[in-house]
Amino acid sequence: MTAKLLCSALLAAACAPAQTDLAELSLEQLLQIEVTSASRREQKLARTPAAVYVITQEEIRRSGLTTVAELLRLAPGLHVGRINSSTWAISARGFNGRFAGKMQVLVDGRSVYSPLFSGVYWEMQDLLVDDIDRIEVIRGPGAAMWGANAVNGVINIITRPARDTQGGLVVVGAGNVEDGFGALRFGGRVGERFHYRFYSKAAARDQMLAVGGAPAGDSWRSSRTGVRADWDLSQRDALTIAVDAGSGRYWQLANLPTYAPPETDLRTQLRRSAAAGALLRWTRRHRSGADSALQISYDWYGRTGGLLEETRGTLDLDYQNRRRLGRRHDLMWGVGYRESSDTGPQHDYLRLSPRRETLRLYSGFLQDEVELRRDRLWLELGARLERNHFTGLEVQPTARLLAEPVPGQVFWAAVSRAVRTPSRGDHHAESWIASLPPASGLPPQTLHVFPSPGFDSTTVLAAAAGYRGRLTHRATLDVALFRNRYRSLRSGELGQPVLSYVGVPH
């Protein structure tokens, strides 16, 4: 059990105003919560043609949870598996694992998906949960809007604007699992148009217990500090600047293969991480009524110790524009560029060749929402074109239909194509995963995984349909059905044994 103390006595007077209690909202109000991840624009949850769930700030506060990965357990239809104290496997609609490569994860629109192994370092997404406005979870493809690897879903973590975090906040706690955690945040303003906040947090988390009750040796420590400023430059222009940095230490038990009996070596490893990032976002409302947004971000992280040693720097530029065309069309388009440079692992158990590489991604998307019948029937048509480092041009279209024949009764259907592009590991990584004891006079045998330069993208053609509406005055129903057809799934093929003299003859 953990204890959490919000707002010390010295800062109680400066704490932010009380938030709306979702328990006091009507069912109609709950369905009017706005989401942005499904179509990259604000739309009512009730009128979103996708399987969407929103973890609200009130749910986050009531849960008492302190990590993003644990918060995702609040979303129905999302599988959250905890591998050890600091490592999670999170996905939707199957294919879950430590390297779940079919789930796109975003923080304020920035992808935190690692192209080294196709997955997310969840232990490094150590945000201050009190600063999270909401977490939008889309089950099903979102590639037309967010690009490759949004195959089985999208998770978008959206932080609160600085104007909503004014005053002071102190969070402290301790328990039998969380040895201790604490956070300090202060928000202020300069005039009526410039708001800012500063925060710093740290946590020490205890090890879990292995089967039989023995200590698992997987405790971890983390810290993070950041600042954000929101500036209303004019009635039509707004600027957001955010900078943060963090570090962590993670212990874990690793079962490594060896040449000598018993062919395995169980040891405790210490992994270290450091990360820093900066974001600049400019939004403008044009005189014509159109909206545009330009976001530039740079993220860097380094990991040492353990098997997945990696250093990566990523520059991301994203521009989008939205405008109304006549009375029926809501058109949105955008372009993007991402450049990610890395230095990968180079040790006995995992090595990349080449060790250093720069991946470049060019993308553009277009979407039109057509109101076929006023306040009753809508059609969304969209597509994204992407050119990636490994497979070249990828096309990811979608079509979505939403009908509301009577108020409060919504039906939707969608057909989408999405791709999971190869990772650096698929094309360039060789790993030693197991050893077998000598048999029948043969030398020891080892099992290695070799990369394939011809590795292609995994594709999915997904069809989905759903209903969302009010059954009675006190009950609503949200149901979704889907059928996914995958092609070119990743697999392993057993090759012919060869004799090697590296290390010892085997």
Side-chain angles (χ1 to χ4, degrees):
M1 180 179 294
T2 62
K4 188 174 182 180
L5 175 64
L6 293 177
C7 303
S8 69
L10 292 177
L11 295 177
C15 289
Q19 302 163 12
T20 302
D21 189 344
L22 289 184
E24 298 176 358
L25 296 179
S26 66
L27 294 176
E28 291 83 1
Q29 290 172 316
L30 287 172
L31 292 176
Q32 295 306 306
I33 293 176
E34 291 188 341
V35 298
T36 59
S37 301
S39 300
R40 293 181 69 130
R41 58 182 175 81
E42 292 183 351
Q43 58 187 156
K44 305 298 183 184
L45 175 61
R47 290 186 176 179
T48 303
V52 180
Y53 185 83
V54 179
I55 304 174
T56 65
Q57 209 284 324
E58 180 67 16
E59 286 183 277
I60 293 172
R61 185 184 67 84
R62 286 175 175 269
S63 72
L65 300 173
T66 60
T67 64
V68 172
E70 290 175 308
L71 288 173
L72 293 174
R73 296 184 187 274
L74 302 177
L78 201 61
H79 180 212
V80 180
R82 193 166 191 174
I83 300 172
N84 59 35
S85 181
S86 63
T87 307
W88 283 267
I90 300 175
S91 189
R93 298 184 173 177
F95 298 98
N96 199 13
R98 174 68 176 94
F99 308 114
K102 299 179 177 62
M103 198 82 182
Q104 183 63 268
V105 181
L106 311 157
V107 177
D108 288 329
R110 292 185 292 177
S111 174
V112 295
Y113 183 98
S114 171
L116 173 65
F117 65 90
S118 298
V120 176
Y121 297 119
W122 285 105
E123 68 274 21
M124 295 178 64
Q125 312 312 315
D126 194 26
L127 305 176
L128 177 60
V129 297
D130 299 275
D131 283 351
I132 298 176
D133 182 68
R134 63 189 185 277
I135 303 176
E136 298 178 1
V137 178
I138 302 172
R139 305 185 305 280
M145 291 291 98
W146 298 108
N149 308 315
V151 174
N152 285 357
V154 177
I155 297 172
N156 193 6
I157 305 163
I158 301 171
T159 60
R160 303 168 69 185
R163 68 171 62 249
D164 292 343
T165 55
Q166 296 293 285
L169 172 71
V170 172
V171 179
V172 294
N176 63 326
V177 175
E178 302 207 34
D179 291 339
F181 60 88
L184 171 67
R185 186 188 72 206
F186 180 79
R189 69 181 186 180
V190 178
E192 296 296 327
R193 293 186 174 183
F194 186 88
H195 297 80
Y196 64 90
R197 72 163 173 260
F198 164 84
Y199 79 91
S200 185
K201 63 165 295 187
R205 298 174 174 92
D206 199 2
Q207 58 188 337
M208 302 182 75
L209 298 179
V211 176
D218 55 1
S219 59
W220 57 300
R221 307 287 185 267
S222 64
S223 63
R224 193 180 184 104
T225 299
V227 61
R228 170 171 171 159
D230 296 319
W231 189 7
D232 294 329
L233 300 174
S234 67
Q235 292 183 345
R236 298 197 306 272
D237 295 270
L239 183 68
T240 294
I241 300 174
V243 179
D244 57 12
S247 64
R249 293 180 297 160
Y250 318 92
W251 287 265
Q252 67 175 14
L253 288 177
N255 199 5
L256 304 176
T258 65
Y259 295 111
E263 285 75 40
T264 61
D265 180 18
L266 184 64
R267 68 176 70 168
T268 300
Q269 292 184 326
L270 171 60
R271 294 177 288 122
R272 299 178 184 269
S273 71
L279 175 145
L280 184 147
R281 180 170 57 244
W282 168 73
T283 58
R284 179 177 178 84
R285 183 167 184 82
H286 300 270
R287 295 184 184 276
S288 62
D291 296 306
S292 60
L294 173 65
Q295 180 166 298
I296 303 173
S297 65
Y298 183 80
D299 292 284
W300 175 91
Y301 65 80
R303 296 168 58 90
T304 59
L307 300 180
L308 286 174
E309 295 185 336
E310 178 187 7
T311 300
R312 180 173 300 279
T314 302
L315 173 67
D316 201 324
L317 292 84
D318 183 88
Y319 174 82
Q320 70 177 47
N321 182 280
R322 177 192 176 193
R323 62 182 63 238
R324 299 283 301 183
L325 296 179
R327 298 180 57 184
R328 295 180 178 271
H329 294 266
D330 192 340
L331 184 68
M332 178 178 289
W333 63 274
V335 293
Y337 172 74
R338 182 178 302 155
E339 181 176 301
S340 186
S341 300
D342 70 74
T343 300
Q346 199 79 10
H347 49 71
D348 290 342
Y349 303 101
L350 180 63
R351 59 181 61 242
L352 266 68
S353 179
R355 188 181 183 189
R356 296 177 176 85
E357 188 157 28
T358 297
L359 309 179
R360 295 179 177 88
L361 178 72
Y362 307 86
S363 64
F365 75 91
L366 176 68
Q367 176 180 278
D368 186 18
E369 182 190 78
V370 185
E371 190 175 25
L372 301 177
R373 185 176 179 184
R374 187 172 180 80
D375 294 330
R376 288 292 181 268
L377 186 64
W378 297 264
L379 174 66
E380 286 185 8
L381 298 174
R384 174 178 284 266
L385 301 178
E386 281 190 343
R387 186 183 186 280
N388 69 77
H389 182 85
F390 294 114
T391 62
L393 184 66
E394 299 284 0
V395 182
Q396 301 173 96
T398 187
R400 299 178 182 273
L401 183 69
L402 185 140
E404 190 174 12
V406 296
Q409 306 294 322
V410 174
F411 300 87
W412 62 268
V415 178
S416 306
R417 181 182 186 271
V419 303
R420 179 260 180 196
T421 55
S423 67
R424 270 265 276 152
D426 294 329
H427 273 246
H428 299 150
E430 176 191 346
S431 58
W432 175 16
I433 62 173
S435 293
L436 303 176
S440 302
L442 296 175
Q445 302 176 60
T446 64
L447 182 61
H448 287 247
V449 174
F450 293 93
S452 172
F455 209 98
D456 204 357
S457 294
T458 295
T459 65
V460 64
L461 182 62
Y467 164 81
R468 184 183 296 118
R470 183 177 61 191
L471 301 180
T472 68
H473 181 67
R474 296 185 177 182
T476 60
L477 177 65
D478 190 340
V479 60
L481 305 175
F482 69 93
R483 182 179 186 272
N484 290 355
R485 185 175 183 179
Y486 300 87
R487 292 183 181 273
S488 301
L489 287 170
R490 178 170 53 181
S491 66
E493 306 296 332
L494 188 62
Q496 293 296 321
V498 296
L499 185 63
S500 173
Y501 292 91
V502 177
V504 300
H506 63 277

